[in-house]
């Protein structure tokens, strides 16, 4: 059984960074499927992987073919989708990447969506870990492509507004999801203790704060060189904190 971890939070708080570091840490313990749920698709850059066709493009292409009557009636649509999903997968040694691309637009082909969901569900079961880097805001979570989430990790930064967003995400997930095992909060890019206002806001959300990731000059240095954040050395402060978070979430033991 694979463990599914979804990362969510307000824009720019560090979701992609935390996702990439977590993916790197988990990949030392098992195989990881990284899902980029952000239409602007940049998880690949954080992982140092190329970007192939997105799932959204597969769906649009199929919808176009069906509409024009060009889809070969002899070909099973679900087999075709399964094939295209595998083709979209970027494979590396222990980390594979699937980019979702744009969500379905108006006039979408719903049967294709269901087939996509089934294909992705089958794909995810092949991995030890599935990590989903979501786009900012909450809208996308309601269209989540995978069924169950073991861990929802909400990323905030040192701003009260990002904590309020975190609280909203928690409420939203309760409304739409039948099954999330664990929800936790990390505050990113923060040095020293949280302000009383921040602490108060965290308390209001009822979320468990399981880590404070420091502002890491090594990340800033990698950013400036355009290097992927997974190159962050093991003893780097942010990486060490994400490691501790993974342990607290019982994703890893050591
Ligand atoms: N702990 C940290 N120390 C230093 N820089 C950081 C840290 N965390 C994130 N950053 C930097 O902050 C910027 C925003 O981070 P990131 O792209 O991970 O946020 P995001 O939440 O995924 O944003 P978006 O909502 O646009 O997807 C990046 O340049 C990243 O390298
Ligand atoms: Mg991002």
């Amino acid at each position: 059984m694979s463990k599914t971890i979804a990362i969510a939070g307000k824009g720019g708080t560090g979701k992609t960074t935390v996702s990439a570091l977590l993916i790197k840490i988990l990949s030392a313990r098992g195989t990881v499927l990284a899902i980029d749920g952000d239409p602007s698709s940049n998880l690949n850059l954080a992982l140092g992987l190329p970007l192939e066709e997105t799932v959204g493009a597969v769906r649009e292409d199929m919808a176009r073919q069906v509409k024009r009557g060009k889809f070969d009636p002899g070909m099973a649509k679900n087999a075709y989708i399964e094939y295209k999903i595998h083709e979209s997968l970027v494979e590396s040694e222990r980390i594979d990447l699937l980019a979702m691309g744009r969500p379905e637009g108006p006039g979408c082909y719903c049967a294709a969506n269901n087939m996509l969901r089934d294909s992705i569900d089958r794909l995810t079961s092949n991995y030890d870990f599935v990590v989903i880097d979501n786009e900012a805001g909450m809208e996308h979570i309601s269209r989540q492509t995978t069924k169950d989430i073991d861990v929802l990790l909400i990323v905030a930064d040192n701003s009260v507004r990002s904590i309020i967003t975190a609280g909203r995400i928690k409420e939203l997930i309760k409304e739409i999801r039948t099954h999330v095992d664990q929800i936790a909060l990390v505050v990113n890019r923060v040095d020293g203790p949280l302000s009383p206002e921040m602490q108060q806001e965290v308390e209001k959300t009822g979320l468990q704060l399981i880590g404070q990731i420091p502002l890491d000059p090594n990340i800033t240095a990698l950013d400036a060189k355009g290097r992927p954040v997974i190159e962050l050395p093991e003893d780097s402060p942010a990486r060490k904190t994400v490691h501790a978070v993974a342990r607290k979430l019982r994703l890893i033991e050591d």
Side-chain angles (χ1 to χ4, degrees):
M1 267 290 280
S2 59
K3 278 236 169 216
T4 301
I5 304 108
I7 315 287
K10 193 174 170 300
T13 50
K15 298 175 295 295
T16 301
T17 304
V18 172
S19 299
L21 293 176
L22 188 61
I23 288 163
K24 177 75 182 173
I25 291 160
L26 296 177
S27 71
R29 275 96 187 152
T31 53
V32 187
L33 174 65
I35 297 185
D36 191 346
D38 189 337
S40 64
S41 306
N42 58 37
L43 181 62
N44 72 299
L45 295 176
L47 296 172
L49 294 173
L51 188 65
E52 301 279 342
E53 196 178 25
T54 68
V55 171
V58 169
R59 177 182 40 229
E60 277 164 29
D61 179 52
M62 174 142 169
R64 213 174 301 122
Q65 287 190 53
V66 170
K67 210 168 163 187
R68 289 185 190 155
K70 288 212 169 133
F71 196 88
D72 177 0
M75 175 150 34
K77 290 190 181 75
N78 52 356
Y80 174 76
I81 283 201
E82 187 114 358
Y83 163 75
K84 291 296 275 183
I85 291 291
H86 276 94
E87 220 180 43
S88 315
L89 196 66
V90 178
E91 289 169 295
S92 72
E93 203 181 317
R94 297 183 69 87
I95 301 167
D96 291 353
L97 172 71
L98 192 67
M100 299 306 294
R102 276 193 291 152
E104 63 267 35
C108 89
Y109 179 51
C110 291
N113 266 328
N114 292 337
M115 287 178 220
L116 277 171
R117 207 158 286 142
D118 287 348
S119 289
I120 293 170
D121 276 342
R122 266 195 298 279
L123 178 70
T124 54
S125 63
N126 297 334
Y127 296 86
D128 297 313
F129 302 100
V130 178
V131 178
I132 309 162
D133 174 21
N134 285 288
E135 71 177 322
M138 300 164 286
E139 207 187 317
H140 178 78
I141 297 175
S142 54
R143 298 192 293 252
Q144 194 72 264
T145 315
T146 46
K147 277 195 218 124
D148 295 329
I149 292 180
D150 295 293
V151 177
L152 173 67
L153 184 60
I154 306 177
V155 183
D157 58 16
N158 203 1
S159 72
V160 166
R161 281 197 302 157
S162 71
I163 305 292
I164 293 173
T165 303
R168 289 193 186 139
I169 291 173
K170 180 192 167 201
E171 292 310 312
L172 181 83
I173 213 92
K174 270 206 284 191
E175 279 170 32
I176 57 173
R177 224 160 236 298
T178 45
H179 185 77
V180 180
D181 262 0
Q182 230 183 329
I183 306 185
L185 174 72
V186 288
V187 179
N188 184 27
R189 271 196 247 106
V190 58
D191 291 308
L194 295 182
S195 70
E197 290 80 6
M198 284 283 289
Q199 287 179 29
Q200 209 177 24
E201 210 57 49
V202 170
E203 254 169 58
K204 268 200 232 165
T205 66
L207 285 164
Q208 188 201 0
L209 177 61
I210 57 158
Q212 278 179 225
I213 306 171
L215 184 100
D216 193 328
N218 298 329
I219 297 184
T220 314
L222 286 172
D223 265 346
K225 284 190 258 177
R227 301 297 314 166
V229 72
I230 55 161
E231 288 181 4
L232 201 64
E234 254 176 68
D235 60 353
S236 212
R239 179 142 169 203
K240 274 165 59 181
T241 311
V242 176
H243 194 120
V245 164
R247 232 183 1 228
K248 280 194 196 150
L249 292 170
R250 297 181 186 280
L251 295 170
I252 58 171
E253 278 163 13
D254 52 321

